[in-house]
Amino acid sequence: MSRMVKIATTSLLIDDKSKTFGVDIDRAAELAEAAGKENADIVVLPELFDVYSIGRHDWLTHSGEIIPGDGRLQTRFAAIAKKYNMYVVINILEINGEKLHNTAVLFNRDGSYNGKYRKTHLAPGEEDYITASNEYPVFETDFGKVAMTICMDIHFPELFRILALQGADIILHPTMWLDYTGAYCDVCACARAIDNGIYMVTSHYVNVPFLAGRAMGHAVVIDPMGRVLADTGHRPGITTATVDLDESYEFWAGGGTELKKRYPTLKDCYFKIRKPETYGILTRPDEENDWKIENPTLYQP
């Protein structure tokens, strides 16, 4: 069999104009339209492009929507999904009564609402205004199962394993990363892809020219072997990769052997060798801090 899908990801320009509300939203819409014109099956946009460049105290003045609903952002990007017969993932602020969530939304090809994921692992300080979730949904599409994670989630491999165990073929990861080393973020994303036998898709912001410590762009599509198939580089725009979700990455045992029958693919190998009954420490609250360095060497200005 073959499940071919054309995946698009985006790198959104951030500059002085971005401090004016609506500029980044327009740019995100332009990127989504560009992906549609490339006949992409699915496109993902960066984290919180509705409010990224304005101060947090102004967020709810300008943005925040009940999801699902008929808010202006959902209406606009649902229309793009329908126009190009393309799945669209946006990541915006969600209003939930008195709570505020950092939420990724998936629209179907016809513009209808498919589902949402609320960010689980909040960045330091984010918990002061965002409410975390504890649900890990996977969503059906006409080419396979997709899941969404957001930014800080990348550092918690348990989440990605849970999504993979639920059958996710592709995990879409909108983010607002900064990368000081040039490899830090890519290594994390490649590791999540390899360990779980899934495609990873990240979407970022970019400053031009890129310098260390600034928004890096470099949005990528990564295959289950950890190979980067498409990359926006340190520039704004889109990139696409066409992949076969049924392509198998075989376990290295010789063909026809009993071992090969037991572990035909690397995913079979990794998942069947798991020992979840021994992982109890992962579910214990971190109270004893056995891992903590007592006297870390820190720079003290």
Side-chain angles (χ1 to χ4, degrees):
M1 290 184 62
S2 179
R3 287 183 293 154
M4 304 301 296
V5 55
K6 189 171 187 177
I7 304 168
T9 188
T10 57
S11 181
L12 197 154
L13 175 65
I14 292 295
D15 58 14
D16 289 340
K17 293 181 181 178
S18 297
K19 295 181 175 62
T20 301
F21 178 76
V23 169
D24 293 345
I25 295 172
D26 289 343
R27 287 175 173 171
E30 290 172 2
L31 292 176
E33 293 257 5
K37 292 173 183 176
E38 291 288 332
N39 296 313
D41 291 296
I42 189 166
V43 62
V44 57
L45 295 155
E47 180 184 16
L48 297 184
F49 61 81
D50 53 331
V51 294
Y52 176 77
S53 297
I54 63 176
R56 289 175 181 171
H57 62 282
D58 291 328
W59 278 14
L60 284 181
T61 302
H62 297 291
S63 195
E65 298 185 0
I66 295 171
I67 302 173
D70 58 359
R72 62 185 183 278
L73 290 171
Q74 293 173 82
T75 300
R76 183 171 185 178
F77 286 89
I80 293 173
K82 183 176 181 179
K83 178 179 179 181
Y84 292 102
N85 191 35
M86 171 180 66
Y87 292 93
V88 174
V89 173
I90 63 173
N91 182 184
I92 62 175
L93 286 176
E94 177 189 3
I95 297 173
N96 177 23
E98 297 297 318
K99 298 177 180 178
L100 194 63
H101 300 284
N102 183 341
T103 301
V105 186
L106 173 65
F107 294 108
N108 293 315
R109 293 185 190 271
D110 63 0
S112 62
Y113 170 82
N114 186 307
K116 66 185 177 184
Y117 164 73
R118 293 168 170 166
K119 189 175 182 180
T120 306
H121 303 92
L122 304 181
E126 193 176 7
E127 70 273 12
D128 294 339
Y129 50 96
I130 296 292
T131 298
S133 178
N134 58 3
E135 297 179 353
Y136 308 131
V138 171
F139 307 97
E140 295 280 357
T141 71
D142 57 18
F143 51 77
K145 293 184 178 181
V146 303
M148 299 176 286
T149 59
I150 300 171
C151 204
M152 193 73 179
D153 285 330
I154 198 73
H155 301 294
F156 300 88
E158 298 87 352
L159 166 56
F160 291 80
R161 179 56 54 85
I162 289 169
L163 296 173
L165 286 169
Q166 294 183 84
D169 297 299
I170 305 170
I171 298 181
L172 304 146
H173 188 71
T175 181
M176 55 175 71
W177 274 337
L178 301 177
D179 192 340
Y180 296 93
T181 69
Y184 186 84
C185 298
D186 281 349
V187 168
C188 290
C190 289
R192 301 295 87 81
I194 293 169
D195 288 346
N196 297 293
I198 51 92
Y199 288 87
M200 275 292 302
V201 186
T202 66
S203 179
H204 307 274
Y205 296 93
V206 64
N207 292 111
V208 178
F210 167 73
L211 298 170
R214 304 179 75 198
M216 66 181 191
H218 203 41
V220 293
V221 179
I222 302 168
D223 78 1
M225 293 292 283
R227 296 174 296 205
V228 175
L229 303 181
D231 185 346
T232 61
H234 299 305
R235 58 174 177 76
I238 70 164
T239 189
T240 66
T242 300
V243 305
D244 179 0
L245 298 181
D246 284 331
E247 183 178 359
S248 62
Y249 295 85
E250 296 190 14
F251 180 59
W252 45 82
T257 65
E258 186 60 37
L259 190 58
K260 185 60 172 282
K261 293 177 182 177
R262 195 183 315 161
Y263 304 117
T265 69
L266 286 174
K267 193 164 189 173
D268 287 294
C269 178
Y270 297 151
F271 281 26
K272 289 182 179 180
I273 292 175
R274 289 188 316 121
K275 298 184 68 177
E277 68 277 7
T278 70
Y279 302 157
I281 190 172
L282 293 176
T283 62
R284 294 210 309 258
D286 180 32
E287 296 174 348
E288 298 180 1
N289 291 328
D290 292 338
W291 54 267
K292 193 172 180 64
I293 300 173
E294 293 185 6
N295 297 295
T297 300
L298 302 173
Y299 173 65
Q300 301 291 344

